[in-house]
Structures are given as structure tokens and as C-alpha cells.
Amino acid sequence: MIEVFLSCLALGTVVGFLAGLFGIGGGLIIVPSLVYLLPLAGVSPEHLMSAALGTSFSTIVITAFSSAQRHHKLGNVDWNVSKVFIPSIMISVFLCGLIISGLDAKLMSKLFAVMVVYLALRMIFSLQKEQKIKPLTTQTTVIAGGIIGALSSVAGIGGGAFIVPFLNGRGLEMKRAIGTSSFCGAFLGLSGTFSFIASGWNVEGLPDYSLGYVYLPALLGITLTSYFTSKLGANAANVLPVATLKKAFAVMLVVIAINMFLK
């Protein structure tokens, strides 16, 4: 347990900064890292992906709220969009999380890898030309929230990889899209956490200090450092140019996708 905890302290340092910088919950990095670390804590292969996803969602809550707090002070959170987005996202991710946690572990791993590749390609191709700005209506926001919640359940992410390009393509300035994504992602993570706690509540074979599919030592280790470094990332997001943010966001997803396929 100690080895896992110390490793998660280092993991949280990186994840927190990226969460603040890109408006993501860090799940794209946390999940594959936990797939490697959690067996050291005694998590069996059949429960590995569920535990990684559930623990990832729980870390997103603290990391994203910390990042959102800083973005709010910088004026980068759109409250009108958030109040429509959050309910649909929370309902979707909770229901889909119950379904995902019941799937075969190998299938879950493949779904996660496909999701990472899709996100990487989507960001790369979106950089090649200017996107046509589409209207942001209540209906499109609710529908997008439902779809994003479902997709996020597969990858254990805060939805920023979907929310940021969606809002930016609907006319929100990039920094404001990132700030709003951080705020919405915190509630997405909260709903996902409850879903994986519920689905893993009576499951046998999970290690000590587990709350359903959430492994508490990993949660503590990651959030102890990510809480602080997410603020540094949010500060960096406020001063970096928009083009740099988009390129860095795309490169990060490509690196993760390559890493998943190599493994």
C-alpha cells in the first residue's frame, strides 16, 4: 500500500498541473497509471479496470474543483452554460458507470484505448482548419451533456476532452471553455464516483481501504499533490496563447494514445 501511495503522490503532481492547464480531470493519465499500480495493492485482474475508473473519477472531484476555483477567480467560468450542462452530465455518467463497471475487464481496456485514440485524432484534425461556430442552445447543451457523460464513463475522465472543443466550437473563447469545463468536470467526477462506489459495494476480493471500486490510498495520494498543482496549471492556462493551448492539448492526447497501444 505504501508503494502505491508514494507513486500516487508523484502522479498527482503531474495530473494536477495538466488538469488546470487543459481543463481536464486527468483521467486519461490516471487510469493507465492505476492499471499498472493497483495490482501492487492486491486488486485482481477482473476488477482492475473498474477500480482504476472508479478511483480516477474520485480524484477528478478534488482536482477539478481546485482548478475550477482558480478559473472562477480569473473570470473563466460561464455559469449560464454550467447550470444546463451539469444535470445532464451527472445523470448520464451515473447510469453509464453502472453499466460499464459490469463489463469484462479486457473489453473495458479496449474501449478505453479506442477512446484515447479517438480523442487524439479529433484534436489533431480540428487544428487543421477553423471550425464553423455553431449556436449554443439549451437543447444542444443537454444532448451534448448526455453524450459526454456516457463517453466519459468509458475512460474515467472529467469530460474536458469533449467539453472544451464543444464549447469552443459554439463560440466560447478557449480560456473560458477550459474554465467552464473544469467546473462541469468536477460534478461529472462526483457522479461517476457515486456510480462506481455503488456498483462495487458488495464485490468480494477488493483490497482493504476500498470503498466500492474506489481505492482510498490512491485517491489520497493523487489529490494531496494535484490540489495544489492544478492551481499552477490554471494560472498557466490564463497566460498562454490559444494556439499553444490547442497544440499542447492535442500532443498530450497523441502521446497517451501511443503509450496505450505500445502496452
Side-chain angles (χ1 to χ4, degrees), residues 10-47:
L11 176 61
T13 302
V14 177
V15 167
F17 183 80
L18 294 176
L21 180 63
F22 297 118
I24 63 173
L28 290 174
I29 299 172
I30 293 174
V31 172
S33 299
L34 290 180
V35 166
Y36 172 78
L37 292 172
L38 288 180
L40 302 177
V43 178
S44 58
E46 63 266 28
H47 300 312

Side-chain angles (χ1 to χ4, degrees), residues 41-106:
V43 178
S44 58
E46 63 266 28
H47 300 312
L48 186 55
M49 275 302 295
S50 293
L53 291 170
T55 305
S56 174
F57 274 125
S58 68
T59 65
I60 287 169
V61 178
I62 297 175
T63 302
F65 265 125
S66 173
S67 175
Q69 181 184 30
R70 184 58 184 166
H71 279 294
H72 170 58
K73 290 182 179 179
L74 296 171
N76 292 336
V77 176
D78 191 310
W79 299 103
N80 290 327
V81 172
S82 299
K83 68 182 182 182
V84 178
F85 232 137
I86 289 172
S88 62
I89 283 179
M90 292 187 72
I91 294 171
S92 176
V93 75
F94 182 84
L95 295 176
C96 292
L98 295 176
I99 298 172
I100 292 296
S101 61
L103 297 178
D104 178 74
K106 292 182 179 180

Side-chain angles (χ1 to χ4, degrees), residues 28-259:
L28 290 174
I29 299 172
I30 293 174
V31 172
S33 299
L34 290 180
V35 166
Y36 172 78
L37 292 172
L38 288 180
L40 302 177
V43 178
S44 58
E46 63 266 28
H47 300 312
L48 186 55
M49 275 302 295
S50 293
L53 291 170
T55 305
S56 174
F57 274 125
S58 68
T59 65
I60 287 169
V61 178
I62 297 175
T63 302
F65 265 125
S66 173
S67 175
Q69 181 184 30
R70 184 58 184 166
H71 279 294
H72 170 58
K73 290 182 179 179
L74 296 171
N76 292 336
V77 176
D78 191 310
W79 299 103
N80 290 327
V81 172
S82 299
K83 68 182 182 182
V84 178
F85 232 137
I86 289 172
S88 62
I89 283 179
M90 292 187 72
I91 294 171
S92 176
V93 75
F94 182 84
L95 295 176
C96 292
L98 295 176
I99 298 172
I100 292 296
S101 61
L103 297 178
D104 178 74
K106 292 182 179 180
L107 177 59
M108 293 171 68
S109 298
K110 291 178 180 178
L111 288 174
F112 178 84
V114 169
M115 187 64 65
V116 174
V117 173
Y118 168 75
L119 292 171
L121 293 176
R122 177 173 177 172
M123 286 301 298
I124 291 172
F125 287 117
S126 70
L127 295 174
Q128 294 182 354
K129 59 182 180 180
E130 289 295 325
Q131 292 181 316
K132 182 180 179 181
I133 302 299
K134 301 177 182 178
L136 183 63
T137 65
T138 299
Q139 182 179 4
T140 57
T141 303
V142 170
I143 294 173
I147 295 173
I148 289 170
L151 295 175
S152 298
S153 298
V154 175
I157 60 176
F162 299 105
I163 299 174
V164 172
F166 171 76
L167 294 179
N168 188 232
R170 263 70 181 179
L172 261 71
E173 189 261 339
M174 188 62 173
K175 294 171 185 176
R176 196 165 179 80
I178 290 174
T180 305
S181 171
S182 294
F183 184 66
C184 294
F187 286 93
L188 187 157
L190 184 64
S191 183
T193 300
F194 287 147
S195 180
F196 278 87
I197 288 176
S199 60
W201 189 256
N202 293 316
V203 172
E204 297 182 357
L206 293 174
D208 294 336
Y209 308 107
S210 294
L211 188 62
Y213 283 125
V214 176
Y215 185 57
L216 297 178
L219 165 62
L220 180 62
I222 292 171
T223 55
L224 275 176
T225 49
S226 66
Y227 177 83
F228 300 101
T229 56
S230 63
K231 297 181 186 295
L232 298 177
N235 286 333
N238 200 53
V239 298
L240 289 174
V242 172
T244 301
L245 284 176
K246 285 188 175 182
K247 290 177 182 178
F249 196 36
V251 168
M252 183 194 70
L253 293 179
V254 170
V255 170
I256 294 172
I258 293 173
N259 182 60

